[in-house]
Amino acid sequence: MTPLQRYIAEEIATDHLDGLLSRREALRRLGLLGLGAAAASALIAACGETKQTASTPESNPAPKSPPKPGGALPPGAEGALPTAPVSWAGPNGELQGAWAAAPSPKGGVLVIHENKGLTDHIRSVAGRFGGIGYSALAIDLLSGQGGTAVFTDPADATAALSRIEPPEFLADLRSGIDELQQRVPDRKLAVVGFCMGGGLVWRLLAAGAPQLSAAVPFYGPAPDAPDFSGSRNVAVLAFYGALDQRVNATEPVVRAALEKAGMVHELITEPDANHAFFNDTGDRYQPAAAADAWRRIQDWFAVHLA
């Protein structure tokens, strides 16, 4: 099992342990990743032991899904722009995405989706960036499989993403950056990623991303022994949820690598927030944490994409 496959498998197991998936559904989804019943059950048990060891009643209560505020819009949604489907020639064939064009762009943002592909939520995030003056391109990393839209079951989309090797992801992301640069010439660029996409932001920085001026990974797992020296000029604003034990365990790794590379950075842990706290369509959405993150991103971009 590759590190990405294990990350996705552990995410499914954690969703079950947090009560978001039944055991039967978790085993089904793990089966789509290639895990047999015995291996899947062992993984769930191991994640449960890790979760129990890391938690204490006083310092880390069991995560609860916050109530959705009645009628309240997620941060940035009020002024969000519509997105349009776009495509361009990638390194291994046509790449697809959603494009939100700001009228007078202050910069450009590449948006990297979670492990469910290019969903309506991710399109809305691109539109929100467009609404605050940053033209945004949300890339579909399932383009080579026909695009996210061909998968009627989100679990199948997740399984398909788990089978893509990191070099292919990185090649597609670099192509997305090139496409964004062509669409917003003479403007600084940023990348924002969520969950799996947050992990891909870290991988992109480790591979070298000289075209970028800012990067914002949300609760993204760190790659093994990252070296960010090829991305020294990228200012990094990273977000974590205090209840997200699994990803938070990798935060010291990226902190040390950022410091070693001498990069401008700020790592924010949002209190009372869990993994995927920014996703207003999910059960772990935390409105206060999402609003704080959105405010901080705007402040960060005002400085580093100016």
Side-chain angles (χ1 to χ4, degrees), residues 15-149:
D15 283 350
H16 164 63
L17 293 167
D18 284 351
L20 305 183
L21 292 176
S22 68
R23 183 176 181 86
R24 180 176 182 178
E25 178 61 14
L27 291 174
R28 183 184 78 86
R29 295 189 183 197
L30 290 170
L32 292 174
L33 299 185
L35 275 71
S41 296
L43 176 68
I44 291 172
C47 288
E49 291 173 2
T50 301
K51 187 177 179 67
Q52 187 173 16
T53 301
S55 300
T56 65
E58 296 80 9
S59 64
N60 209 355
K64 297 179 181 179
S65 302
K68 300 286 180 68
L73 293 173
E78 185 172 354
L81 299 180
T83 62
V86 294
S87 62
W88 67 96
N92 299 300
E94 182 181 85
L95 288 172
Q96 304 172 28
W99 171 243
S104 299
K106 297 180 285 188
V109 181
L110 182 72
V111 182
I112 311 177
H113 56 67
E114 303 163 329
N115 68 20
K116 295 178 177 62
L118 181 55
T119 61
D120 287 342
H121 165 66
I122 294 298
R123 290 187 185 89
S124 80
V125 172
R128 294 180 218 177
F129 280 118
I132 60 171
Y134 299 95
S135 292
L137 176 62
I139 188 171
D140 189 344
L141 293 173
L142 283 168
S143 296
Q145 287 70 37
T148 300

Side-chain angles (χ1 to χ4, degrees), residues 232-256:
R232 293 183 190 277
N233 295 325
V234 183
V236 178
L237 175 66
F239 290 99
Y240 298 87
L243 305 179
D244 188 8
Q245 303 158 0
R246 183 170 58 101
V247 173
N248 291 354
T250 71
E251 188 261 16
V253 174
V254 294
R255 182 183 294 274

